[in-house]
Amino acid sequence: MPEYILNGINVQFPYEAYDVQKSFMKCVIQALHDRSHALLESPTGTGKTLTLLCAALAWRRTFATRHEVENFDNQSVYQDEIEKIKLEQTISAFPENEDWKAEPPKIFYASRTHSQLSQVVKEIKNTKYRPKVCVLGSREQLCVNQAVKSASTNAARTALCRRKVLGKSCQYYNGLKKAKKILDDSQDTMDIEDTVKFGETHGACPFFLSRDSQAEADIVLLPYNYLVDATARMSQQIDLTNAIIIFDEAHNLESVCGEATSFELSTTTLRQCVNELNLCKNHVDEMDLEREEKLMTYDVIAERIDKLREAIEGTGLLAQGHMSKPGMFMYELLGTLDIDSRSIGYLQQGIDRAVEALASLSSSNVNTQKFSLSSLSQALRMLFRREYFSDTDVSVTMPHTKFYKVHIQQEQTETGLVERKISYWCFSPGLAMKELIDGQVRCVILASGTLSPLSSFASEMLLEFPIRLENSHVITAEQAFIGVVPKGPTGTTLNSTYAQRNRPEYKMELGNIIANFSKVVPEGLLVFFPSYSAMTDCIYAWKSTSQKSKSIWDRLNEQKQVFVEPKTKYEFNQALNGYYSKIKDPAFAGAIFLAVCRGKVSEGVDFADGRGRAVVITGIPFPNTHDPKIQQKKDFLDDIRFTSNRNETLSGSDWYKQQALRAVNQAIGRVIRHRKDYGAILLCDERFGSTEIINQLSAWLRNHVVLYKDFGQVQSNLTKFFKNMKQKHAFESPVAIAYEKPAATPDRTYARKALNVGSEEEGYGQITSRPQSFSDFSIISDSQPLTTISQSSEFATNVKTLPRATIEQAQKYSKQIESMGPAKHLQYKKLIRQYKKREIQIEPFIDCLIDIFIGENRLDLLHQFRIFLPSKHIQIFDRAIRAQEQIPDSSDSSQATNDVHTSKKPRID
């Protein structure tokens, strides 16, 4: 394994490192050495995760060496004082301030989702380092107690868990002590799925195993909100003293910090809170010794919540149906209702008691609605944090309110109900970051492929970042074609401002451009629009046709089949797999995916090699300027800039532009994913030609952008580019599969006969009698030529491992699916047909199943489906169910013995 001496630290790397990777690791080590914060940008494909890990773990191991010397005087290593001093100076710029007797600094590695953290675990296994790893997760991911896991909401899961732990009625919690010893002795590096499997095997709670193991861990992997949310940090018992904090994919951090320090409450939510309190009152036991106290407490809280709702509904609004106030207004409003720092303890205790009662009722199959009280509890905890108030002066002016705005708006719900919503918005992500570093952290490292411009990002975080890097790409200049296309084939100017993009000639010109590009670009072509409405309008225009010629839509589909990004996860997986399959379909010259900046396609999806040979950006995705939150953010920044009299402070206008350009950079990052990859980036809007815009693109792009004045020249050069790349890259592109099969799982042809589950309409064919159990083949077996068992010895040996199910079970299951309603039944049947026709692979198939059943709250049916799967897919099924890709709620990280009830931050309604 290659070794490099970087800033005096010996770093082991799994392969020969690129120069850009060495530069990146040097910056990481410098930050750790100097106790300085770092802002590091490096393009997709440059191995950010691996370089972050290797640099941080190498530095930590060197620190551990000095720690061992301090604690073992008889050790011969570095007993020479001069050598010891050299070692200390290599580790730290301030060796006299280091506590060499203490354990080396713990690394907290945060990313957006648990699936990304699973990738981090894989990268750690690829290195030579073997740190003790802890992955923090929520009860949603980790709980194995079915009574708790099947609760309808995160708040219910948290409350139910708390009751069972306090009552010592959870067998898995009770089995912690014994399993923890086994876990401590284990050398395995485990992700979320491994932890769950360990807990199931040893009869112990994976949630508490994970949380308790962080004390002994060298590196803790966790979602963003577990760090930036003060309540989550406390409930997870996270100690950040002298810690190294790494945020990967940090371009998401601004929005995550804002969500962690903001909330919204609707008048409908407040009504539901009162209903839930009344429900608790109605179920107080007649024999309860605290009955009178509970009834009185519930009445007091319900009265104040009702008064709050009335106050919100009685607030005068502007003609536009909304109004905004400074952040302090929220405390003034609540103060008029006797909700303040003196009464909050009593109110919060009563709400917590009600939430526990609701959890108990929920487990008894009583309809407890939405646990709105838990959402209110979270909002009050955010407002009345202890550090905001003096012990002697409850009316003290709280400086944090300068970062907030209160907004009240009247709106109509999807059901037609008119309600009001009060929002408490934090417009400075730096507030959450400042509270984070107040925990005496060693340093914070923010890394991403799309942070530019770094100065404004640093300004928003309210932190000093002495160490900054805008890294180059690992590819050569000839592997990327980057051009601004200001005009189309007929000379029509391309400008997707709101006024211009509605012009018919613009839409038709853009369609003709894409049609021309599709003839030149091999394999996959990605097209990003500024918004869903812009994409929808263009598609509508392209489908229109005259009698004399084909429509643009028809021309596009003749060359490459077109797929459109949908809004639902189920449909998205269908479209993505269709796109992948058509890229390798010899009947087509590839495929086109029409998508939206900031949409599902623009982040987290890999379009390496032929999956994305070119990306077309059709405009600049500026946020909706009429959105009250956007307007308030711009005004907030302008006020800060004016009052601080500092030119380096970001203006509202600059922030607005940069939000759009970061979304562009993120979309561009879908292509050219590794050193041998190549592709074209086509910026089809004349505004991309301005120096101001180009300077806000990722650093590796800026010097290679070519502004074309003639469309014919673009088309000609693009043709030459792909011709040259085809000649240079003689290998076959490894594209064209939606999901890779495990290398150890060869394709098999199983003996099978026609099966029937339920009715023939579901597409399973007729039953053919056979001696083996019906489920020897599973209800979703791939279609294969009919063979006999004697013809397939492989099947004969494999059949014993397949799940067992009977025809009766299958028929019963089919009827249960029908009970979900005709729409879901039809969706299920279509999905099964697609799988049988091999139009969808196993991972997206399972993903779509999850969407169907979770949407109907039928986890029981989802788990039952397991018995119909072939054995080779059981593990994939189990892992998919455990590993959801959403960020776990802070509410699910509550401490069982001292719970803080929380719920999702982005919105409380």
Side-chain angles (χ1 to χ4, degrees), residues 2 49 124 135 195 199 305 359 383 407 420 437 468 473 482 510 512 554 572 587 610 619 624 733 765 813 905:
T49 301
I124 291 174
V135 184
T195 305
I305 293 174
L383 287 167
H407 184 79
R420 286 194 178 187
I437 66 169
R468 304 184 184 188
H473 211 300
I482 308 168
L510 182 61
N512 284 322
D554 289 337
F572 174 70
N624 181 4
S733 177
Y813 189 78
K905 297 287 184 183

Side-chain angles (χ1 to χ4, degrees), residues 797-820:
T797 58
N798 193 54
V799 68
K800 296 178 182 179
T801 65
L802 289 169
R804 310 289 294 178
T806 64
I807 295 176
E808 290 74 18
Q809 285 177 308
Q811 291 171 336
K812 181 180 178 181
Y813 189 78
S814 182
K815 288 181 180 179
Q816 288 177 299
I817 298 293
E818 290 179 17
S819 71
M820 294 169 57

Side-chain angles (χ1 to χ4, degrees), residues 18 51 53 62 76 102 177 206 234 289 312 340 360 386 399 429 449 501 589 630 633 635 663 731 745 774 801 815:
Y18 309 140
T51 50
L53 290 169
T62 308
S76 61
K177 188 175 181 180
M234 181 173 63
L289 297 178
I312 295 171
D340 54 30
S360 179
R386 186 174 301 172
R501 70 174 179 239
I630 299 298
K633 173 75 174 184
D635 293 343
F731 55 83
T745 307
F774 150 81
T801 65
K815 288 181 180 179

Side-chain angles (χ1 to χ4, degrees), residues 583-601:
I583 288 173
K584 62 178 180 179
D585 190 335
F588 291 84
I592 300 172
F593 208 128
L594 306 183
V596 178
C597 291
R598 300 190 188 90
K600 295 179 178 65
V601 173

Side-chain angles (χ1 to χ4, degrees), residues 478-479 522-523 613 676 678 718-733:
E478 65 179 10
Q479 289 172 258
E523 302 172 294
R613 280 297 173 217
K676 294 183 178 180
Y678 62 91
L718 190 63
T719 303
K720 292 176 183 176
F721 169 78
F722 281 113
K723 184 177 180 181
N724 291 338
M725 287 297 101
K726 184 178 180 180
Q727 292 173 348
K728 183 172 181 178
H729 295 261
F731 55 83
E732 190 70 24
S733 177

Side-chain angles (χ1 to χ4, degrees), residues 70-129:
E70 189 70 21
N71 288 276
F72 299 98
D73 292 335
N74 60 347
Q75 189 167 318
S76 61
V77 181
Y78 293 121
Q79 290 302 298
D80 185 292
E81 282 300 318
I82 296 177
E83 290 298 317
K84 189 184 292 187
I85 291 171
K86 286 182 180 179
L87 178 63
E88 291 175 354
Q89 292 174 342
T90 299
I91 296 168
S92 175
F94 312 99
E96 67 279 5
N97 296 333
E98 301 289 353
D99 184 359
W100 301 112
K101 290 186 177 181
E103 289 293 323
K106 195 184 300 292
I107 301 169
F108 287 85
Y109 193 108
S111 196
R112 189 172 60 91
T113 68
H114 270 296
S115 63
Q116 290 173 337
L117 292 177
S118 294
Q119 287 299 119
V120 176
V121 172
K122 291 178 182 177
E123 292 286 22
I124 291 174
K125 291 178 178 179
N126 287 335
T127 72
K128 199 170 183 179
Y129 302 99

Side-chain angles (χ1 to χ4, degrees), residues 40 202 209 275 396 403 453 604 625 644 660 666 719 800 867 887 903:
L40 311 177
H202 297 282
L209 273 174
N275 293 338
V396 65
F403 297 112
T625 189
S644 67
Q666 198 63 32
T719 303
K800 296 178 182 179
I867 66 172
I887 298 176
S903 62

